Each structure stands twice: as C-alpha cells, then as structure tokens.
Amino acid sequence: MAPQLDSYFKQVDGLSDNFIDRLRKAVAIPSISADDERRPDVVKMGKFLASELRALGAHVEERPLGKQPHKEHLELPPVIVARYGNDKNKRTILVYGHYDVQPANKEDGWATEPFELSIDDKGRMFGRGSTDDKGPVLGWINCIEAHLKAGVDFPVNLLMCFEGMEEYGSEGLDDFITAEAKGFFKDADAVCISDNYWLGTEKPCLTYGLRGCNYYSIAISGPGQDLHSGVFGGSAQEPMTDIVRVMGSLVDTDGNIQIPGLKDLVAPVTEEEKSLYGDISYTMDNLYESLGSKTSIFEDKERTLMARWRFPSLSLHGIEGAFSAAGAKTVIPAKVVGKFSIRTVPNMQIDEVNELVYKHVKAEFAKLKSKNTLDVSLQHAGMWWVASPKHWNFSAAGKAVEKVWGVKPDLTREGGSIPVTLTFEQATGKNVLLLPMGSSTDAAHSINEKLDKRNYIEGIKLQGAYLHYVAEEPLS
Amino acid sequence: MAPQLDSYFKQVDGLSDNFIDRLRKAVAIPSISADDERRPDVVKMGKFLASELRALGAHVEERPLGKQPHKEHLELPPVIVARYGNDKNKRTILVYGHYDVQPANKEDGWATEPFELSIDDKGRMFGRGSTDDKGPVLGWINCIEAHLKAGVDFPVNLLMCFEGMEEYGSEGLDDFITAEAKGFFKDADAVCISDNYWLGTEKPCLTYGLRGCNYYSIAISGPGQDLHSGVFGGSAQEPMTDIVRVMGSLVDTDGNIQIPGLKDLVAPVTEEEKSLYGDISYTMDNLYESLGSKTSIFEDKERTLMARWRFPSLSLHGIEGAFSAAGAKTVIPAKVVGKFSIRTVPNMQIDEVNELVYKHVKAEFAKLKSKNTLDVSLQHAGMWWVASPKHWNFSAAGKAVEKVWGVKPDLTREGGSIPVTLTFEQATGKNVLLLPMGSSTDAAHSINEKLDKRNYIEGIKLQGAYLHYVAEEPLS
Ligand SMILES: [Zn+2]
Ligand SMILES: [Zn+2]
Ligand SMILES: [Zn+2]
Ligand SMILES: [Zn+2]
C-alpha cells in the first residue's frame, strides 16, 4: 500500500519559509573546520543542531572526539548523535551529514557575503554550506518538524550522526563509528547519506558506487642541497630530469594507464551494465560546461561516464621541492617529490595496485641509469565502494523519487570518494544509500555555493517520503 | 721593469687591522636590496663608501637611479661613482663592485650573527657580504689608503662604479653604464670586476668567460579551472600529463640535450683549448664536496669543467600551477607552466636557440595529439661572454698573482652569468677582467658566508699589484 504523503507534503510547503529561515541561521555560523580560529563557530553550529533537535523532542548527545591530532591545543568539535523514535515495530534508519563547511572569503570572488544566505529571483540560495552540507542536514530536522505539525506518525526510528570535521578529513570519526556500530547505532537497519549531488540539474539520482583512491609519492634526490644551474648545470645529474621521465611513463594523454598489469585487476564490463549507461540523463555538453572546455578524452557520454565511474584513472598532481612560483629561478632542485593518484574500482585491491605501481616506477627509474636515489611510497589509500541498488533501501528511495519528482531516478556512481560511506558499511554491515539533495551546478567548495530553493523544499519532501517507503518495504 | 711593490705590501700588512675594521663596519650595515624595509640601510652603505673615498681624496658622486620599477614608492639606492687620480699620462682602470647583500637571518642556521663580523681561530671572517661583495669593494679603497700612507705614487687613474641593487637584478644599472660609457667612464682603458670566486681554495684564478642563459616557459592549459581528480579523472585530458612528457623530451639523465640542431651551434673544441683543462687545479672531490653527493655526470675533471664552462646545459626548474606543497591534494591542475633554462656558450645566438627550442617543443607536443593548448616562450635571455685572456689587462693580472701568491693563476671560465660583465664590455668596448678575491668555500648567498683573512689581505695586495703591472704593460 502506497503511503499517504499528502498532508506531510502540504505541511512542508506551508513551513518552507521557516525551513529557509533555519538554513539562513545555519549559514550565518561560519563553521569552517580547516580554520583553527573558527573552531568556536564549528562548535556553535553543532550546538545549534543539538538544540533544534531537542526542541523537536529528539534524544541528543554531543560526543567529544578529544584533541585534534597534530594540533593538540585544539579540541575536535563534537559529533552530534541523536535518536528520534524508539519503536521496536519500526525500521531504524541511520542518517549522516556534516555541519562544518569549506573556507570562504568575499574577496575570493563571491558575488554576495558567503555567510549571509542570499536568495535571487531564480530561487538560488547562495551561501557557504547551503548545499554542502547544511541544507541536507537541516532537511532531516525539517522532516521531523513537518511530521509533528502535520500530525503524521513518523514512519521509522531515525538515528542521526552529524560531524563537524568532514572538510578536514573527518578526524576521529572512523574510530567513533566503529565503536558506536555496536552502541548508539546498533539498531540501524540501513544507512542514508545525503552529501553528494545530482549528475545534472533536472533529474534526481541515487548513488550506489564510489571509486577508491591510492595516492603516491615518488621522491628523487641527488645533491645535498639545491644547486645553481649556472655553476652545476651539465656536471650534476638532476633529480628533475629523472622525475619528469618517470612521471611521463605513468599515463598518456588519453588517460591510458601505462602500468603493466593494472588493467587486469579491473572487473570486466557486463552486457547488463553496459545497457545502463545509455539511459542516464547526461550529455557531453554537461561535461564541457563543468570542464570549462572541450578537452575531453571521449566524444560520447557512455564512455565518459564509464571512465569516471567504473574504470581507474591516474592523475599527476604536481611536484614538491621544485620551483613552483611565478617568474624565473635558476635552481637545480636537490630533492623533488612527484605526486600522483590512481582512482580505483572493483576489483582492484590496495596492495595489488601498490605492488604494480612500485614495480613499474622502479623499472622506469632503472632504465635511466641515474645515480640519483628513488623512493616510491603510498601516501594514503581509500577503497572503492559499490552497494547493491536492488536492496530495499534503494527501492524505497527510488519510489520516493518517483512520488516527489515524477521520474525514476538515475542510478549513478561517482568518480570521487566519500570515505565515510565505506566506514558505515563496514562498521554496521548494512546497506548504504547516497541520496543527494543538490544539483551539479551547486558549486560546493567553490565561490558562490548555492542550493536551489526547489531542491531544498522538494528534497525535504523526498527525505520524508523515503522514510515512509522504507517503512513499507518487505523484509528481504 | 718589474714594479717596486715592497713598501706597498708592507703597508697593507701594517694596516690589516684597520682594513678588517673597515670590513666590520661595512658588514654591520644590513644593506639587503631585496628587502624593502632595509632600503635605508642600503643607502647608508652607499654613503659609507662615499665618505671613506672622499676622506682619501677621491672625487665621488652619488648618482640616483630613480624609482624602483614595480615598486614606485621606493627610491633605488644610488650608484656610487668615483675617480681617484686624473693624470693623462697614466692608464685609467674602471673597477666595479656592489655594496648590497643577500638576505640573512640568524634563524636560517647561521652559527654567528650575520651582521657582526666574527673571526674564528682559522682566520675565517664570517658575516653577510664579507666575500660578496663588500670585501672586494673595500679592497680598492684599502688599496688607495695603503698607497697614500706608504707614500707610493698611485700607478693608474682609478674609476669606480659601486652599485646597490646587484642582488636584486641590478635594476637600472644597464642604462646607467651605457650612458656613462661616454661620460664618467669615458677614459677607461680596461675594466676589472671583483665579484666572483676561485675555483678551489688554494689557487687564484683569472676568469675570462661566462655562459649565457635562455630561460623558457612552457604553458599547457585545458580546463577552465582546476578540477577534482575523483570527478574528472579519466574523462578529461590533463595538462600535467602532457607537460611531463614534453619536459621529459628535453634532456636526459646524463645532461645530453635532446633538441635537434642545438649541438651544431656550439663552437668546436680546439686542441689548444683541450690542453688547458688538464693543468687546472680542481679535483672530482672538489665537485663532490660542493654537490654534497657523488651524483656527477662525468668521472673526470676535464669533462666536468668543460661541461660547466664551454658546453651548453639544460636544467628543468619546476612547474608553476601544479600542486607543490607537502601532503596530498587530489587536484587536476587546469594550467601548468614548466620552467627550464639553457646555459649558452659560443657561438649560440639567442634567436637561433629560441627557434630550435620552439620547434622541438611544438613537435613533441604535437606527437601527443592532445586537445590542450601549448604556449612556449622565452622569459629572459642573457648572452655568454668570453674575453681574450691574452690582452694586457689579463697579462698584468697574471703577473700580479704570481708576485703575490707565487703561482701562475688558473685561467677559468664560469658556468653562471654575471650580466654586468657583458654590459661593461659592450658599453665601453674595452677588455673586461674578472679578478676574484674569495675562494670556493666562501658560501656567498648561503648561511655562514665568510671571507678568509688571508684572501682579504693578500687580495688587497693583489688589487694594488695588478694596477702597478697594468701601468707597465706595453700598449697593444
Ligand atoms: Zn560534504
Ligand atoms: Zn564538502
Ligand atoms: Zn656579488
Ligand atoms: Zn651575490
């Protein structure tokens, strides 16, 4: 039986000014986790969420994470965990979001004050954190309020986990989640994370996969200190000469990774999978617009999306220790560290990839017959994640999208990683769904970040509808 | 007839404490030209030289150079020009030096206060500017004083040109020299520059050649802004991928420049020239010590010195616009600018080299079949310089070295450039000699810069003796 959502939806529309006001208050708190001096504002933002939730009758705990690693004078902001409802006959859904934001300064080029919510005549609500991730986090709170005011029974028990350090590496969160999987989160039947974006601007999506990332350093050193190229050029072997050659051996202009054996680790594309890409609402013009150029590798959407979602890629990020400023400096750098990363996909295992990378880099360096010294190492690694989109968690979300937006959602994967996703899956053993609220044009992490009023209000409806459909899904 | 130098030499020995005191006063003035806030100290240092010279009876002018380009609120320090003697029957020698210094902070690792002259038990006089270039500049002043006090007739008319912006690109100096070549400097019969170093620590040298330098940028751009490698890796062509491949095509680990046609521009080595290198006082251990490693290209001194002095070299300096900090950042840089330079030697002309570089870089980029955009350009160029070491200016200096040090000097070239050398040669049309005072271990531009007491005092004798021998050289 389809859930009755009309009075809930009507209530959301009726409260929309209140909900926008709640977002305005949240955006006004500059909770920048990367800025030590803003730490009190991050804490203030956490307390704001806690007090809003308590006012609606939720049980809330502000859980400390201790001192910040490498910055022992700073206390990490608390994780705000909350429970709304405790009915053994209902399913329990754990939702995650973050209340910290990226840095923002008007001088970076913002058209409006970044910490004042500014709504234009197209309904675009500009402000740092509007879409990443305050809008989606407040969505769950708004959802509770609308149910209360509409007098509609809340369909599930809701567990909430809102952190304040996501934009700074989620310091301390992994251990917390792992510990609470058997504690505060132990009743969770499934997880829903609202911290990503639609593929385009018109069609909602559900996200069931993310690529992993192995990040490497190649250090090449020779002389005891930087040298003057006039004095030593021609008589010393130069680490820069070696490193560009080694880095040049990793990938070609068309993105083909040159590391022998790496392709063999990638799961083959099935016919069923291939057929999924054609229907996805995405065009090459979408890509060109987000690139700001036509310098794509492929000319068709299918191969572009597959390259982004289900094939590995290798990017060279830069060289540490060399001259990197504007102007001209005639230095021979003594030690240079090349940085690159490989985005990984099923079934690439971190260690297998490491082994192939090390072998290839060492072989390429050996070819140079250089007297310099090479050191190649993994800086960090995060695994890829792929969930089953046939799980009831996804079916429920799919039906909710159809109800709210009138279309079946695209099932998408993402090229980047959201490490907390895998942590939740591994710690709880439950299905994890990524349910985005904002669209591809929201400019999270950039100047003029925004959330469209439509995405916010319909997103609140979607979050509520999702919980209702979840309640009705048969046990699998 | 060999000049009578005994009473001059004796006087220099007798005044050595005074001369060290004069150096102490000069080192105490932190005349850092790169530091805007030290500009008054640079001016103070210029005025110190002017007043010392006036006290000895020289005619001195403090010549303004106007505002500093790009820093219009700052007045450039004056060029101190001076004339000592105006006898039509004597030769006139123009000497150049600079009274500004490199930055220095105790915290950078200095063992002593950088702006206090500290003399250790080996006679090493530590202090910023001691060897670069206050010691050599004061040498000429000391030379005048010792002649006066010894009652020895000064053998030449001495023109002096001491600038205060050498460590910051000699702003404004070229135009000044060109203008004064027919003015203040018009009587000069030869030029002597004391602003470089011995090849080693035991044997003096005269320097007759410098390499030039063509400095290039290779800009490769694609996307409209930096991209996230998770989202776009695999679907966009990356400028970093292209630039390491283009940079990797320029030179190999053993310093062989890969640009077709470049070698053909280099003057062939003559048998006579080849024979000069064997005698030069230099060992591979000297090289290893200054490199701080054994990562040399060659295993023998002859090829090492030729590679440094008379063959071109190509060094890769770094990449602007890419990630260059410590740590890990998953950026795809949108525009990267590779920097490299070619040290040039006879008979490489700036334009010929440019043409070959542009052609090669464009051809290598074309091979990549990339959609990105390439721009290669010359950032700046300075010509190589080679003087005739058979000119009377060099013969006189050679005899002076033999008189003071008891050995024939090595005739050397240098790998780096001292642009003012070529400016003087071209503006005056006269022979230019580089007559170093300090040794290879003086650490100019580094922490713990020093000048050995021996090099200072014997250097003053050498400067005076040089002027006496100059006076006796037959007209050529
Ligand atoms: Zn986020
Ligand atoms: Zn974010
Ligand atoms: Zn100097
Ligand atoms: Zn210098």
Side-chain angles (χ1 to χ4, degrees), chain B residues 211-212 214 216 257 261-267 310-313 342-353 356-357 382-384:
Chain B
R211 291 196 290 188
N214 282 21
Y216 296 96
I257 301 175
L262 207 89
K263 276 182 196 160
D264 306 335
L265 304 179
V266 179
R310 67 100 57 228
F311 284 115
S313 63
I342 299 175
R343 296 285 163 174
T344 57
V345 296
N347 301 312
M348 300 167 79
Q349 297 301 312
I350 291 172
D351 288 347
E352 289 175 332
V353 174
L356 294 175
V357 166
M383 266 303 267
W384 44 265

Side-chain angles (χ1 to χ4, degrees), chain A residues 2 34 53 59 70 86 90 136 139 150 154 163 236 245 253-254 279 298 306 415-416 445 454:
Chain A
L53 281 163
H59 165 80
H70 311 298
N86 201 351
K90 292 178 179 171
F154 207 75
E163 69 153 324
R245 295 196 153 205
T253 296
D254 284 331
D279 288 338
F298 302 106
M306 290 179 96
H445 294 212
R454 184 183 69 150

Side-chain angles (χ1 to χ4, degrees), chain A residues 132 166-167 445:
Chain A
D132 183 19
E166 198 274 343
E167 303 291 8
H445 294 212

Side-chain angles (χ1 to χ4, degrees), chain A residues 244-261:
Chain A
V244 296
R245 295 196 153 205
V246 172
M247 290 176 86
S249 77
L250 295 168
V251 63
D252 74 11
T253 296
D254 284 331
N256 298 303
I257 301 175
Q258 311 286 301
I259 300 167

Side-chain angles (χ1 to χ4, degrees), chain B residues 275-417:
Chain B
S275 70
L276 294 175
Y277 288 88
D279 287 339
I280 288 172
S281 171
Y282 190 74
T283 67
M284 288 309 286
D285 284 335
N286 291 149
L287 177 67
Y288 298 150
E289 195 184 333
S290 50
L291 288 181
S293 71
K294 294 201 163 186
T295 54
S296 64
I297 289 177
F298 302 106
E299 309 289 337
D300 62 287
K301 123 183 145 177
E302 285 81 0
R303 281 194 298 168
T304 293
L305 290 176
M306 288 179 96
R308 179 185 291 192
W309 294 349
R310 67 100 57 228
F311 284 115
S313 63
L314 189 155
S315 294
L316 306 173
H317 305 300
I319 299 175
E320 178 188 348
F323 175 56
S324 61
K329 194 177 167 187
T330 55
V331 66
I332 297 175
K335 179 179 177 177
V336 288
V337 185
K339 314 282 179 79
F340 70 98
S341 65
I342 299 175
R343 296 285 163 174
T344 57
V345 296
N347 301 312
M348 300 167 79
Q349 297 301 312
I350 291 172
D351 288 347
E352 289 175 332
V353 174
N354 289 347
E355 210 174 297
L356 294 175
V357 166
Y358 298 159
K359 191 175 165 196
H360 172 76
V361 167
K362 285 173 186 169
E364 288 296 319
F365 181 71
K367 280 186 198 164
L368 303 178
K369 301 194 194 307
S370 173
K371 295 177 183 170
N372 292 318
T373 305
L374 170 83
D375 185 52
V376 51
S377 62
L378 180 77
Q379 251 184 281
H380 63 69
M383 266 303 267
W384 44 265
W385 164 80
V386 179
S388 163
K390 296 187 173 158
H391 188 274
W392 55 258
N393 199 24
F394 279 83
S395 323
K399 289 171 189 164
V401 167
E402 252 191 291
K403 175 80 184 171
V404 173
W405 293 97
V407 287
K408 269 195 209 304
D410 280 335
L411 277 171
T412 63
R413 289 160 71 162
E414 290 214 355
S417 51

